[in-house]
């Protein structure tokens, strides 16, 4: 083909190439599962620890999330637990020398698989260590006195170590918490059971009076996040409520 023929062919092909280029879709971004390690993600109702009713404010976001205990029924030989070493003091007085409880949240997620109810404990300063197990009786840490959870079918004991819920002046650090009688299908209620010598204890009532002794699976998410301007370390306890569908 002579030079004039080649020039004419190029002139005819140019508009076609531009049209095809406009039809090419950009390559999709890699999914989170294709990357190594946790990556920042916007806070939303689908966040692993979500139990808020309000929309997240600008600047709220999840920094990292980890499953501390996947769906299973805790047992004496296989409790749900995690160790997060803390070297106190982590701050100067009057800020507590160990991670302290900032807020407690609750929520229900009936459309997830499995559906679950949730109680979340939001700490500042870092993650405390914890142990979660079914117990026959919730007892007050220190005195050993029984702590009632009226109407609950069974009881989860939640013990945080290297943690507290008061400042160095003895004032509570908890700025918000739900009523103790929550009334969800799996998590019916909760109760405090001690804030003593760096050990913070709670009980979670599972089911109702017709569910005596029931033990259902749970999952624990650990989420580091920025929420309402606070850098929080969240331990979210999620209890399967498939039994009550």
């Amino acid at each position: 083909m002579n030079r004039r023929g080649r020039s004419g062919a190029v002139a005819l092909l140019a508009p076609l190439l531009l049209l095809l280029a406009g039809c090419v879709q950009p390559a999709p971004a890699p999914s989170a599962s294709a990357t190594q390690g946790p990556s920042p993600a916007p806070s939303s109702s689908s966040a692993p620890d979500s139990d808020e009713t309000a929309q997240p404010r600008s600047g709220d976001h999840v920094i990292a999330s980890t499953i501390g205990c996947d769906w299973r029924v805790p047992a004496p030989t296989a409790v749900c637990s995690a160790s997060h070493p803390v070297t106190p003091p982590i701050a100067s007085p009057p800020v507590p020398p160990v991670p302290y409880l900032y807020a407690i949240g609750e929520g229900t997620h009936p459309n997830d698989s499995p559906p679950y109810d949730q109680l979340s404990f939001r700490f500042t300063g870092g993650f405390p260590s914890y142990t979660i197990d079914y117990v026959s009786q919730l007892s007050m840490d220190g005195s050993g006195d029984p702590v009632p959870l009226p109407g609950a079918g069974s009881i989860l004991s939640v013990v945080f170590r290297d943690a507290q819920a008061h400042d160095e002046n003895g004032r509570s650090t908890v700025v918000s918490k739900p009523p103790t009688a929550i009334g969800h299908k799996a998590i019916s209620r909760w109760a405090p059971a001690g804030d003593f010598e760096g050990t913070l204890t709670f009980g979670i009532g599972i089911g109702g009076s017709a569910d005596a002794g029931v033990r259902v699976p749970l999952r624990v998410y650990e989420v580091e996040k920025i929420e309402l301007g606070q850098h929080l370390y969240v331990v979210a306890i999620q209890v399967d409520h498939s039994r009550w569908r």
Side-chain angles (χ1 to χ4, degrees):
M1 184 181 293
N2 59 31
R3 182 177 298 175
R4 180 176 296 176
R6 286 197 299 269
S7 299
V10 170
L12 289 171
L13 286 172
L16 179 59
L17 291 173
L18 289 173
L19 178 62
L20 290 174
C23 296
V24 175
Q25 298 298 318
S31 65
S33 62
T35 60
Q36 295 296 318
S39 58
S43 177
S44 70
S45 61
S46 62
D49 73 302
S50 173
D51 47 32
E52 305 85 357
T53 55
Q55 290 296 315
R57 300 193 313 185
S58 176
D60 288 6
H61 67 278
V62 172
I63 298 171
S65 62
T66 302
I67 295 178
C69 177
D70 213 347
W71 290 115
R72 61 186 174 88
V73 177
T77 56
V79 299
C80 284
S81 63
S83 178
H84 296 285
V86 173
T87 304
I90 62 172
S92 301
V95 177
V98 294
Y100 67 87
L101 187 62
Y102 175 76
I104 302 173
E106 59 85 17
T108 185
H109 298 257
N111 297 322
D112 283 65
S113 182
Y116 64 88
D117 298 338
Q118 177 172 280
L119 200 64
S120 64
F121 298 87
R122 290 156 155 75
F123 292 88
T124 67
F127 284 106
S129 299
Y130 57 84
T131 300
I132 304 168
D133 194 14
Y134 282 101
V135 294
S136 57
Q137 172 67 57
L138 181 65
S139 300
M140 182 65 67
D141 186 28
S143 69
D145 293 336
V147 177
L149 282 164
S154 58
I155 300 170
L156 278 173
S157 168
V158 182
V159 180
F160 296 106
R161 299 181 302 280
D162 291 327
Q164 62 188 61
H166 64 275
D167 64 17
E168 293 305 275
N169 295 317
R171 294 184 295 243
S172 174
T173 60
V174 181
V175 301
S176 64
K177 59 186 178 182
T180 54
I182 296 174
H184 293 319
K185 294 178 180 179
I187 298 179
S188 54
R189 60 192 311 118
W190 67 279
D195 180 7
F196 182 68
E197 294 185 347
T199 301
L200 194 53
T201 306
F202 294 91
I204 300 177
I206 305 299
S209 55
D211 304 304
V214 65
R215 296 190 172 203
V216 294
L218 63 86
R219 176 173 65 181
V220 181
Y221 253 109
E222 299 175 8
V223 183
E224 184 180 353
K225 68 186 301 188
I226 303 297
E227 181 182 276
L228 303 181
Q230 287 282 346
H231 191 162
L232 300 178
Y233 299 81
V234 185
V235 179
I237 301 170
Q238 302 172 341
V239 180
D240 185 346
H241 78 210
S242 299
R243 173 187 174 95
W244 296 276
R245 285 189 116 170

